[in-house]
Amino acid sequence: MRIPGALALLLIAAASSAASDNVILITLDGVRIQELFSGFDPELLDRADDSGIYDPEVTRGRYWRESPEERREALMPFFWKTLAPMGVVLGNKAKGSRVTVRNQHWFSYPGYSEILTGRPQPDVESNDIVRYPHVTVLEHARRKLGLETKEVVQIGSWDGFEVAAASRDDAFFMSGAYDFVSPELATPEMDRIAGLRRRVMQLWEESSNDVLTFELARAYLREHRPRVMWLGLGQSDDWAHARRYDRLLDYLHLADELLKDLWETVQSLETHRDRTTLVLTTDHGRGVTPRDWADHDFGIEGCQDIWVAVIGPETPDFGELSDTAPVHQSDVAATILKLLGLDYRELDPEAGPPIDAAFRESAERAK
Ligand SMILES: [Zn+2]
């Protein structure tokens, strides 16, 4: 059959502007490349004083295996066996793939700001709960795609996520650590979860429970079908600061189950099935020695190393990548915009570029 010229042009235009309908950004606070790519860190195996592991035999039984690949699959089976093979995972330094932060702080807010605005912001130099005037990828996407305020959403376990999410309070629906969902968007289920979240005590009062935050986000996702969503989880950082390596590993195992639940929910929704890209990353790494693993700050070697995973219809299914060009935390914003069919230069011409390896078209070009 001959395709009429005009139709052919339309088809070409459609193909070249291929995009994900939806993007969900998931951040896991302060998760090192050591655990993500290699599971239980051998450096901490026989160092009870430094690891803080309460019952070494139990933790060893749960997560110790001989090879890094077996260990990471024991720790995060869904991520490594199901999710990763459907997309790309960057940042395994041992295999020649490096992802680093460009900011000179190596703690949370500067990291989230770099992720969301596409560059280190010089004035973001503390974790104070303050909103800065920098336009983020979330509000930019909302404006360019002409979305309703409820179609872009930030839900997270720390108030810092709420202020990092946008340059203004009314940009879209944002929720701090203990907030209820605003009445016009809430359902009885969301109110119940948010109520529970206020009552479940955490190690430190700044952050709320990640399982309940996750359930709140999932209820919102089902009800309002947001096109762009940022889910910020934080307990990995809490357990590490508390120097409880056993609880950190248990937490990562739990976070893996949450990723499975999220994926299944996404696939159960007509609006999202096979049209949604998950972008997973972290705000900073941590130290690499048995003494330093719990900490992170500028100058502690290892804190600059992070990782990024992209899973969705625009992304090749290569799984873990090795020998990649250097990638930065600043490149996440442009990647999200490109996934949505937008040009990052309209957000900020100086922002980091999209991660080439996350796009099928670039992978095909490179062949
Ligand atoms: Zn921290």
Side-chain angles (χ1 to χ4, degrees):
M1 188 187 85
R2 232 186 128 256
I3 297 172
L7 179 57
L9 278 178
L10 268 177
L11 288 172
I12 291 164
S16 61
S17 66
S20 271
D21 284 357
N22 318 291
V23 170
I24 303 179
L25 169 67
I26 302 124
T27 52
L28 301 173
D29 198 295
V31 173
R32 303 192 305 171
I33 58 172
Q34 282 76 8
E35 281 71 39
L36 186 81
F37 292 105
S38 312
F40 196 150
D41 183 353
E43 295 280 332
L44 291 166
L45 184 59
D46 293 311
R47 303 289 290 253
D49 284 353
D50 288 322
S51 71
I53 293 176
Y54 181 71
D55 187 336
E57 211 175 308
V58 168
T59 304
R60 197 189 275 256
R62 282 180 188 159
Y63 308 115
W64 182 256
R65 307 290 184 270
E66 282 310 311
S67 72
E69 284 77 16
E70 289 170 289
R71 290 199 297 275
R72 72 189 189 189
E73 283 190 12
L75 187 64
M76 303 184 75
F78 179 76
F79 180 82
W80 283 111
K81 289 181 195 169
T82 304
L83 222 42
M86 294 190 289
V88 295
V89 190
L90 295 101
N92 192 349
K93 242 167 107 177
K95 295 185 181 172
S97 172
R98 196 158 184 218
V99 185
T100 49
V101 308
R102 279 172 59 208
N103 72 74
Q104 299 286 295
H105 298 289
W106 307 0
F107 55 81
S108 288
Y109 203 151
Y112 291 111
S113 183
E114 185 174 336
I115 291 169
L116 294 161
T117 68
R119 61 150 93 190
Q121 297 290 352
D123 53 346
V124 181
E125 46 186 11
S126 81
N127 274 346
D128 295 350
I129 308 298
V130 181
R131 203 177 283 286
Y132 294 88
H134 315 300
V135 173
T136 68
V137 61
L138 308 176
E139 53 193 324
H140 181 75
R142 193 201 139 213
R143 191 164 56 80
K144 297 303 286 188
L145 296 172
L147 303 177
E148 291 178 51
T149 49
K150 70 175 183 187
E151 290 181 287
V152 178
V153 62
Q154 168 274 324
I155 295 179
S157 304
W158 177 49
D159 287 341
F161 297 141
E162 182 182 3
V163 286
S167 65
R168 30 189 299 180
D169 289 333
D170 60 355
F172 47 84
F173 176 63
M174 293 170 260
S175 149
Y178 293 98
D179 292 343
F180 278 87
V181 174
S182 48
E184 68 278 13
L185 297 173
T187 60
E189 186 195 9
M190 291 182 213
D191 284 342
R192 191 172 158 276
I193 297 166
L196 275 174
R197 197 165 69 143
R198 288 200 171 186
R199 287 177 161 179
V200 172
M201 286 182 68
Q202 292 296 111
L203 213 47
W204 288 293
E205 65 180 301
E206 305 93 84
S207 48
S208 55
N209 183 274
D210 278 346
V211 172
L212 294 170
T213 293
F214 171 79
E215 288 300 338
L216 195 58
R218 188 154 70 148
Y220 190 101
L221 174 62
R222 283 200 190 107
E223 181 71 20
H224 299 299
R225 314 290 173 92
R227 299 274 310 275
V228 183
M229 175 170 198
W230 173 28
L231 170 61
L233 301 178
Q235 279 174 266
S236 34
D237 194 61
D238 297 350
W239 289 120
H241 281 301
R243 202 174 276 281
R244 281 295 301 271
Y245 197 63
D246 48 350
R247 300 304 277 158
L248 171 64
L249 297 181
D250 288 340
Y251 172 80
L252 291 172
H253 194 67
L254 170 65
D256 186 66
E257 290 178 10
L258 300 183
L259 293 176
K260 180 169 190 277
D261 289 354
L262 177 66
W263 181 253
E264 286 171 1
T265 304
V266 162
Q267 291 302 96
S268 74
L269 303 172
E270 194 71 35
T271 48
H272 282 61
R273 183 187 314 129
D274 302 329
R275 303 177 187 187
T276 301
T277 296
L278 306 187
V279 178
L280 293 96
T281 189
T282 190
D283 52 335
H284 54 76
R286 323 189 77 84
V288 292
T289 68
R291 205 54 224 153
D292 282 349
W293 74 270
D295 306 320
H296 60 89
D297 213 342
F298 185 67
I300 300 176
E301 181 51 34
C303 302
Q304 69 274 51
D305 290 318
I306 61 162
W307 48 272
V308 180
V310 182
I311 294 103
E314 306 311 314
T315 304
D317 51 357
F318 294 160
E320 178 184 38
L321 297 179
S322 43
D323 302 317
T324 56
V327 166
H328 298 105
Q329 188 169 49
S330 323
D331 307 345
V332 175
T335 305
I336 291 173
L337 291 176
K338 187 172 176 182
L339 287 164
L340 291 165
L342 301 172
D343 184 345
Y344 75 97
R345 282 162 293 204
E346 293 178 4
L347 168 67
D348 180 348
E350 304 287 304
I355 300 169
D356 232 13
F359 295 89
R360 214 179 277 276
E361 52 173 48
S362 338
E364 245 126 64
R365 235 188 295 119
K367 265 185 198 161

